Amino acid sequence: MPELPEVETVKETLKNFLIGQKIRKVIAPYPNIIKDDLDSFKDKIIGQQFNDILRYGKYLLFQLDDYVLVSHLRMEGKYFIRNSLKELSKHEHVIFELDNGKFLSYHDVRKFGTMELVFKGTEFQLESLSKLGFEANDENADVNIIYEKFRKANRPVKTVLLDQTVITGLGNIYVDETLFLTKIHPQEIASHLSFDEVSNLIKNARTILNKAIALGGTTIRTYQSSLGVDGRFQNELNVHTLVGKPCPVCSTEIIKIKVGGRGTYLCPNCQKRKEL
DNA sequence: ATCTATGCCTGGTGGC
DNA sequence: TGCCACCAGGCATAGA
């Protein structure tokens, strides 16, 4: 599933293809991806030019002339460029025809992704964007504010790290890796962590995310960035997906449990819960 | 105010 | 081989 590094990779890849291109036409075989009414979406977006692409958390923000197209890939969304409309897949749900005759196509097997068009400058008033916390790789993030949220949370630390209103950008993969590196059990109650532990979590998350960005993200299951380019961070994973394999630190077998309904990988020796 | 459960979706997998 | 139940999970929403 695309998390911060994957969305960042998609953003950078797409910028090369899209900046300066105008949207000529929209084809939407499955318009439910688009939150607005399709006709008004088309009315507004046709003729608009891609001027830039930004990322906030896991959201892509396509900067147009008068609007911002806010796009979330959720589990399996991907963008790619196609040269013609030949042999469309049944999973291509929204296709933008560009000035240069090429097409930007949104592909999403599970149809979980969303697109929303808003007036430029109003995007951060959206419920979804307005509540997001600090970027998980922001070196200027205020750890005091983050720690306060941990201190008040009687939920497992993994659940809090996945809560995008605390910090934004982490998903299931990078949370497991961050907890492993910090030697914290995913079911530890967030309010039981010390300031230093929270501080280390944030620091380690940043380190992992920046390394993953440098490697083009992680390719597991169905994620690949646009244009068929695979990431390489999957070779760096320590625990995620590695159930039954030896822990790279202590060789104990990695186990898989459920935390907040999510598959969770950890080393039961390196990541122990605190004594109460 | 906090937290948990459910729905959205489809393809892949394992059991019979 | 075919059928079916079940799993994967980010986020919005409803409910406790």
Side-chain angles (χ1 to χ4, degrees):
Chain A
M1 58 304 309
E3 304 178 32
L4 190 154
E6 290 74 33
V7 179
E8 180 68 21
T9 302
V10 170
K11 183 198 85 178
E12 286 301 316
T13 310
L14 286 179
K15 274 167 79 166
N16 297 324
F17 287 87
L18 291 182
I19 289 183
Q21 290 299 316
K22 278 187 181 151
I23 297 167
R24 254 193 219 165
K25 197 174 165 187
V26 177
I27 304 153
Y30 182 79
N32 288 3
I33 299 291
I34 300 165
K35 287 193 176 177
D36 324 82
D37 166 72
L38 180 59
D39 286 333
S40 73
F41 180 80
K42 286 183 180 176
D43 282 348
K44 289 188 277 188
I45 207 169
I46 288 171
Q48 295 279 312
Q49 174 172 296
F50 288 101
N51 297 317
D52 200 2
I53 310 175
L54 307 178
R55 180 195 56 72
Y56 185 29
K58 305 178 201 172
Y59 289 84
L60 285 167
L61 308 177
F62 294 90
Q63 307 289 311
L64 306 172
D65 297 318
D66 305 315
Y67 301 96
V68 176
L69 177 63
V70 180
S71 165
H72 198 300
L73 307 174
R74 293 290 178 90
M75 313 300 300
E76 303 192 8
K78 0 179 132 53
Y79 282 101
F80 56 92
I81 305 291
R82 50 160 61 245
N83 293 318
S84 80
L85 292 175
K86 285 182 197 149
E87 295 174 40
L88 278 185
S89 137
K90 64 173 177 176
H91 302 303
E92 286 172 79
H93 306 309
V94 183
I95 302 151
F96 301 90
E97 185 179 334
L98 306 172
D99 252 358
N100 60 7
K102 299 192 179 195
F103 302 85
L104 171 68
S105 179
Y106 179 72
H107 180 287
D108 189 344
V109 171
R110 307 268 285 282
K111 300 178 175 170
F112 274 14
T114 58
M115 284 183 204
E116 195 167 2
L117 195 61
V118 297
F119 279 114
K120 208 170 184 171
T122 68
E123 60 270 29
F124 293 106
Q125 292 166 25
L126 289 173
E127 275 279 301
S128 48
L129 295 189
S130 67
K131 293 187 299 187
L132 296 181
F134 291 105
E135 290 270 7
N137 67 339
D138 178 0
E139 47 190 76
N140 297 316
D142 187 337
V143 184
N144 292 296
I145 291 173
I146 297 168
Y147 173 65
E148 266 309 294
K149 293 187 176 179
F150 273 75
R151 205 177 57 75
K152 287 189 283 192
N154 290 307
R155 294 181 286 162
V157 57
K158 172 159 180 173
T159 306
V160 175
L161 287 170
L162 286 172
D163 183 340
Q164 304 295 302
T165 69
V166 178
I167 53 173
T168 183
L170 293 176
N172 211 27
I173 300 172
Y174 297 110
V175 164
D176 282 358
E177 294 299 314
T178 297
L179 287 164
F180 171 76
L181 197 58
T182 321
K183 297 185 185 295
I184 290 176
H185 194 288
Q187 285 173 316
E188 188 63 63
I189 299 302
S191 58
H192 295 172
L193 297 181
S194 68
F195 179 87
D196 283 350
E197 285 171 319
V198 173
S199 178
N200 283 335
L201 275 174
I202 302 310
K203 193 177 69 187
N204 286 334
R206 196 164 63 225
T207 302
I208 289 169
L209 290 171
N210 286 335
K211 188 170 178 188
I213 290 171
L215 291 174
T218 299
T219 304
I220 58 169
R221 288 175 66 79
T222 51
Y223 166 73
Q224 62 179 27
S225 68
S226 37
L227 314 165
V229 179
D230 284 357
R232 298 180 305 285
F233 192 78
Q234 62 276 16
N235 305 319
E236 310 292 321
L237 294 175
N238 285 312
V239 289
H240 194 81
T241 72
L242 299 172
V243 60
K245 299 276 193 318
C247 165
V249 172
C250 72
S251 296
T252 303
E253 260 195 30
I254 290 162
I255 60 169
K256 183 182 183 185
I257 62 173
K258 281 240 182 211
V259 181
R262 307 238 151 66
T264 300
Y265 301 83
L266 70 146
C267 169
N269 184 49
C270 293
Q271 299 166 264
K272 288 204 164 78
R273 289 200 63 169
K274 298 181 180 219
E275 304 289 335
L276 293 179

